[in-house]
Amino acid sequence: MLIQQDWLMRQIEMMISTILRLAGIELSQEAALPEERRQSGSEWEEEVARLLEHGRLGKAEDLLFEHLEPGNREALAAALRFYRQANALTDAELEAQDFTREELLEGLEQAVKQYGLSLPGFGL
């Protein structure tokens, strides 16, 4: 199980990196502290980050999907940041929130499909 989780974690990270390159998006805020990132993001992005920090991953993902819209590169960048941060959670943290890495990968795939992107070979 541990090997499968590590593999999924790497798949998610590789998918995010590939989408960033394909879409020409730089996550310049990635290195910023969470407080700095919240100050520069939109209100809904701040709420997504807050929910994620407080162990409400499912609610954060729901809010993220409410704001995804094709053509909005900032929302796509926010989704990629969200999935990168969620993927950094430990297996125990994910399990405590009734989430799996498989669900993270599925959510990421659904998010990028809204932007007309798909990456064969990355799915489950």
Side-chain angles (χ1 to χ4, degrees), residues 6-116:
D6 285 345
W7 180 84
L8 283 171
M9 200 170 184
R10 285 191 310 273
Q11 285 292 107
I12 293 167
E13 184 55 39
M14 287 186 329
M15 187 174 178
I16 291 169
S17 296
T18 302
I19 294 164
L20 287 169
R21 282 192 301 274
L22 287 174
I25 296 173
E26 288 187 37
L27 296 184
S28 58
Q29 294 179 351
E30 202 171 41
L33 297 171
E35 306 84 46
E36 294 168 353
R37 188 169 39 249
R38 269 192 241 112
Q39 290 173 358
S40 63
S42 68
E43 198 173 302
W44 68 265
E45 287 178 87
E46 294 171 15
E47 181 65 11
V48 167
R50 188 185 67 71
L51 289 166
L52 184 60
E53 288 174 20
H54 289 94
R56 307 219 28 228
L57 181 59
K59 183 83 170 156
E61 187 179 48
D62 291 345
L63 181 59
L64 174 73
F65 271 90
E66 289 175 19
H67 290 88
L68 293 182
E69 50 188 67
N72 184 339
R73 291 172 50 88
E74 289 80 21
L76 175 58
L80 296 173
R81 270 193 299 277
F82 168 79
Y83 283 106
R84 184 168 271 171
Q85 291 168 345
N87 193 41
L89 296 173
T90 66
D91 292 337
E93 289 171 319
L94 288 173
E95 186 176 318
Q97 297 181 54
D98 294 321
F99 242 81
T100 65
R101 293 222 189 268
E102 290 89 352
E103 290 173 307
L104 288 179
L105 183 56
E106 289 170 5
L108 176 58
E109 289 173 335
Q110 289 174 5
V112 299
K113 281 181 185 176
Q114 290 191 23
Y115 289 84

